[in-house]
């Protein structure tokens, strides 16, 4: 806080009489406006030389005490002469424009304001423009000179560097000594935007499009390298969409005879559909589709392949790519494996809910979280299967419960997706997120029968009673869903979707069976409730904990490394170095950036590690609470701490080579691996998901790679190689449409 103390001036000269022996007055002036965020900073000017002797260019700046409160405190003797002053608004780093408050001077006598503490009104535009209004508070306490001296000493001691790191443990709103001229930024932050990498967060893409592609559509499905759904779950590389797949010459097409297949393979006919799906493997053969539906997918058996796709062994590269989770997650998985029934090791989270209840966004978030923890997880969206099989022009009638063709076609693609998921589980997949309305008991029974002996099912029902949220989701659906991509008339699309929704509502049967989690009005993150039934085990418990803490309310998360450190300059890793000169300039620019970027935010918080390079980087930021996380500490290099990579290569070649070969799993002797860092960051991720206000995370290279990978849904194997340059802010926009990113490079 800014403090003025009346210097030992001759009282006759400045009108302040020193009351011999009396206490002194600790006066605090405050101005507040929770809404206004302008570049104009509140100042005080008035009769005393220390507040400019009515020269506005020498006015004293108030300090931001919080996002909406400005404060100036000073000490005067209780019987001081009346202090004439007024409030003033002017920019931090220039004299113009300078706006004086309306009304007469304010008079402060003996620590109290004469008359009422009227609000401060400023007319920054024309006479007809609405005035800016700040509430004014005045507080004056008599403190004895001894108390004051003692409190001043205590204040100084409190902020003396902590014995461990030489940095204040608590640094809330500490005012930086130096001016910001080196940190001044362009007014328009867009000036600093740099292109995000091609593989950046893809929030702008319709979430369902990023889910699994039906197996029958993958070209070259039997070719050796075909484990094309790369281990982190999204199918990449040689997967083609339906219209591109040319029938392969060397592939024999089998559409088995219904009667024979039924009796031979012990298949179960689901009541309401004519499609059969895979069950136990019979002598090396997998259960096949018998399909009398519309345009059934042709299951193919390659003349050259030794086995069916579901027998494909993930090749060593793929298996290697997805490491087993580490730490607590690994321990629990091993425990479950040792004791749990076989099908419990595979988990299907089956979404249930009416359209426009956030199922797909919830499924995508959960998929990201589980993958990031090292669980082989995939998101299957039945809507995508339907579109690829039947096109995107189904009208609302297709979704009527009393439309047999539509019902059959919808159950057929649901069974197809479920079958793909179970096949994938047989190849090593662990958690399948099955995303569809699954709105009838019949449909859910079909899925449970298919899962029997293969995996455990937990239903995840999303219920929303907030009409405004539903309306928002419906509009997003019409804007983004391929179902309405060819519909030029938004209102017509809206009408059709609402009819589709009504068709589902007529036949909707809430979940009452099996293991289930109900999320009721959780989207906003405020209120709402979760109901669980028959949930047990480590992983289901983690899933419930994650769902309790997440919401879909948009807010930015700003990720940045600390300013360049002296060890960065010297090429030394780890350590606890202070900032280089360039790093100090970045710290000031960052403070300026945060002030501009978050000026319309009522609250936000600044998270750092406990290493001084992050705390010093955060130091110039004022107005937001700062929190030090040990979990945000840089990867522990153990015995290599403080060394350069060259020194490690020379003195510990075997360590250097091991790390180069497998940087994800490699653990420094008496140090950490990237998997260890991921494990200790899980509470940080949960808290970031829980936050509704913006967060600025100032941390380190390895840590930010891991955090960024979570939001960008990057495969674990890529994490140690993600570019996280210095002096760059990665803004993650978390919201209903998923995760989008924007990058600002404040300096080279
Ligand atoms: O995993 P690698 O690529 O070594 O990156 C981690 C290293 O990055 C560094 C910088 O070299 O982090 P930091 O951001 O804290 O400066 C080292 O302290 C840390 O050991």
């Amino acid at each position: 806080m800014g403090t003025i103390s009346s210097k030992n001036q001759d009282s006759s000269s400045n009108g302040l009489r020193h009351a011999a022996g009396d206490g002194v007055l600790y006066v605090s002036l405050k101005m507040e406006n929770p809404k206004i965020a302008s570049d104009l900073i509140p100042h005080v000017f008035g009769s005393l030389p220390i507040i400019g002797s009515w020269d506005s260019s020498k006015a004293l700046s108030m300090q931001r005490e919080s996002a909406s409160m400005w404060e100036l405190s000073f000490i005067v003797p209780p019987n001081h002469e009346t202090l004439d002053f007024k409030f003033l608004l002017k920019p931090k780093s220039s004299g113009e424009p300078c706006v004086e408050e309306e009304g007469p001077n304010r008079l402060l006598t003996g620590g109290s304001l004469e008359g009422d503490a009227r609000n401060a009104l400023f007319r920054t535009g024309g006479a007809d423009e609405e005035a800016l209004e700040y509430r004014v508070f005045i507080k004056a306490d008599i403190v004895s000179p001894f108390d004051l001296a003692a409190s001043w000493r205590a204040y100084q001691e409190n902020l003396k560097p902590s014995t461990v790191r030489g940095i204040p443990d608590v640094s809330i709103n500490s005012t930086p000594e130096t001016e910001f001229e080196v940190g001044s930024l362009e007014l328009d932050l867009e000036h600093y935007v740099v292109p995000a990498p091609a593989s950046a967060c893809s929030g702008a893409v319709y979430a369902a499009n990023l889910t699994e592609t039906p197996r029958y559509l993958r070209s070259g499905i039997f070719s050796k390298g075909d484990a094309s759904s790369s281990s982190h779950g999204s199918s990449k590389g040689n997967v083609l969409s339906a219209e591109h797949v040319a029938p392969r010459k060397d592939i024999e097409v089998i559409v088995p005879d219904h009667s024979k297949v039924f009796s031979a393979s012990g298949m179960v006919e689901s009541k309401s559909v004519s499609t059969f799906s895979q069950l136990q493997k019979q002598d090396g053969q997998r259960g096949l589709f018998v399909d009398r539906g519309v345009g059934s997918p042709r299951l193919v058996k390659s003349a050259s392949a030794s086995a069916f796709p579901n027998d494909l062994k993930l090749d060593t590269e793929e298996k290697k790519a997805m490491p087993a989770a580490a730490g607590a997650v690994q321990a629990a998985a091993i425990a479950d494996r040792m004791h749990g029934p076989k099908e419990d090791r595979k988990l299907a989270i089956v979404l249930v809910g009416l359209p426009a209840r956030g199922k797909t966004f919830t499924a995508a978030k959960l998929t990201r979280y589980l993958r990031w923890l090292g669980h082989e997880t995939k998101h299957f969206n039945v809507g995508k299967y339907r579109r690829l099989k039947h096109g995107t022009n189904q009208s609302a009638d297709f979704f009527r419960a009393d439309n047999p063709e539509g019902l059959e076609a919808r159950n057929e693609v649901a069974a197809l997706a479920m079958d793909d998921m179970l096949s994938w589980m047989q190849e090593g997949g662990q958690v399948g997120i099955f995303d569809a309305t699954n709105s009838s008991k019949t449909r859910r029974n079909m899925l449970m029968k298919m899962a029997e002996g293969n995996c455990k099912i937990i239903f995840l029902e999303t219920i929303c009673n907030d009409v405004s949220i539903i309306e928002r989701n419906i509009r997003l659906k019409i804007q983004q869903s391929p179902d309405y991509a060819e519909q030029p008339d938004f209102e017509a699309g809206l009408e059709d979707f609402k009819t589709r929704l009504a068709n589902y509502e007529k036949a909707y049967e809430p979940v009452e069976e099996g293991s289930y989690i109900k999320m009721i009005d959780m989207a906003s993150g405020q209120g709402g409730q979760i109901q669980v039934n028959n949930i047990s085990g480590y992983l289901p418990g983690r899933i419930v904990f994650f769902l309790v803490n997440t919401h879909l309310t948009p807010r930015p998360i700003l990720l940045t490394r600390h300013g360049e450190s002296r060890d960065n300059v010297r090429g030394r890793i780890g350590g606890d170095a202070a900032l280089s000169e360039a790093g100090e300039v970045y710290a000031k620019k960052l403070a300026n950036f945060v002030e501009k970027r978050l000026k319309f935010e009522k609250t936000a918080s600044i998270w750092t590690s406990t290493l001084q390079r992050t705390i010093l980087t955060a130091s110039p930021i004022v107005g937001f609470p700062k929190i030090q996380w040990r979990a945000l500490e840089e990867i522990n290099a153990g015995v290599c701490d403080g060394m350069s990579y060259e020194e490690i290569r020379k003195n510990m070649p075997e360590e250097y080579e091991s790390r180069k070969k497998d940087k994800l799993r490699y653990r420094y002797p008496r140090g950490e691996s990237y998997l260890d860092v991921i494990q200790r960051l899980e509470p940080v991720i949960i808290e970031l998901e829980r936050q509704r206000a913006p967060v600025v995370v100032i941390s380190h290279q390895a840590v930010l790679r891991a955090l960024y990978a979570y939001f960008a849904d990057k495969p674990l194997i890529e994490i140690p190689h993600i570019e996280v340059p210095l002096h760059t802010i990665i803004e993650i926009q978390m919201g209903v449409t998923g995760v989008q990113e924007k990058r600002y490079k404040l300096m080279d």
Side-chain angles (χ1 to χ4, degrees), residues 185 189 589-597 729 744 746:
L185 290 181
L189 295 180
K589 287 181 178 291
L590 177 64
N592 210 328
F593 177 91
V594 168
E595 185 177 6
K596 288 178 166 47
R597 177 67 189 79
I729 297 155
Y744 302 86
L746 302 191

Side-chain angles (χ1 to χ4, degrees), residues 561-565 567-568 571-575 609 611 613-614 632-637 640-643 645 648 659 663 668 674 699-705 719-722 724 726:
R561 274 174 75 180
H562 50 79
E564 181 192 66
S565 73
D567 275 354
N568 292 150
R572 298 195 169 285
I573 66 171
S609 75
L611 295 172
R613 53 190 183 273
T614 62
L632 286 175
E633 218 94 318
E634 182 50 316
I635 187 169
N636 180 345
C640 301
D641 192 66
M643 293 170 73
Y645 292 119
I648 299 173
R659 188 168 202 250
K663 198 173 174 185
Y668 281 108
Y674 268 89
S699 184
H700 303 272
Q701 178 164 244
V703 167
L704 288 169
R705 282 169 167 159
I719 289 180
H721 311 285
I722 293 173
V724 181
L726 283 169

Side-chain angles (χ1 to χ4, degrees), residues 21-257:
D22 285 356
V24 291
L25 271 181
Y26 183 87
V27 178
S28 160
L29 286 179
K30 296 194 179 193
M31 286 214 313
E32 180 193 41
N33 185 312
K35 294 191 202 58
I36 286 181
S38 78
D39 288 345
L40 298 178
I41 306 293
H43 288 66
V44 171
F45 81 137
S47 55
L48 281 184
I50 199 160
I51 43 177
S53 304
W54 292 116
D55 173 355
S56 61
S57 67
K58 297 191 184 110
L60 208 58
S61 162
M62 299 180 85
Q63 298 302 319
R64 189 202 282 271
E65 185 183 65
S66 71
S68 59
M69 186 73 82
W70 295 85
E71 197 247 1
L72 180 67
S73 53
F74 49 92
I75 296 153
V76 290
N79 59 351
H80 65 80
E81 286 299 307
T82 297
L83 195 65
D84 282 281
F85 72 96
K86 289 184 90 171
F87 292 109
L88 199 62
L89 286 183
K90 64 180 214 167
K92 180 181 301 190
S93 46
S94 68
E96 294 306 321
C98 188
V99 185
E100 189 178 313
E101 68 165 317
E102 304 287 303
N105 291 358
R106 295 172 186 266
L107 303 177
L108 183 77
T109 308
S112 58
L113 271 184
E114 304 259 313
D116 60 341
R118 70 176 190 275
N119 285 359
L121 291 178
F122 300 92
R123 291 204 183 287
T124 51
D128 54 349
E129 192 182 299
E130 194 180 334
L132 291 182
E133 185 169 5
Y134 285 79
R135 293 169 61 203
V136 171
F137 306 90
I138 172 96
K139 191 166 172 298
D141 297 308
I142 293 255
V143 286
S144 81
F146 305 107
D147 294 345
L148 192 72
S151 66
W152 180 252
R153 194 167 51 250
Y155 173 75
Q156 289 293 53
E157 276 158 15
N158 272 344
L159 288 183
K160 265 215 175 60
S162 67
T163 49
V164 178
R165 300 253 177 242
I167 297 291
D169 288 331
V170 175
S171 57
I172 295 184
N173 305 331
S174 60
T175 318
E177 291 69 41
T178 53
E179 265 317 296
F180 284 145
E181 70 289 342
V182 287
S184 59
L185 290 181
E186 299 283 336
L187 221 47
D188 176 9
L189 295 180
E190 290 307 304
H191 174 84
Y192 298 95
V193 174
V194 292
S199 58
C201 301
S202 48
V205 178
Y206 187 55
N209 290 352
L210 299 174
T211 59
E212 280 313 290
T213 297
R215 283 174 172 240
Y216 71 87
L217 290 180
R218 287 189 210 152
S219 70
I221 194 162
F222 297 115
S223 61
K224 179 185 171 318
D226 176 71
S228 60
S229 57
S230 53
S231 64
H232 62 284
S234 54
S235 312
K236 284 217 166 35
N238 62 353
V239 172
L240 296 171
S241 61
E243 54 275 11
H244 300 296
V245 176
R248 284 181 37 173
K249 297 284 175 291
D250 62 342
I251 285 182
E252 175 196 354
V253 177
I254 304 172
V255 181
D257 173 288

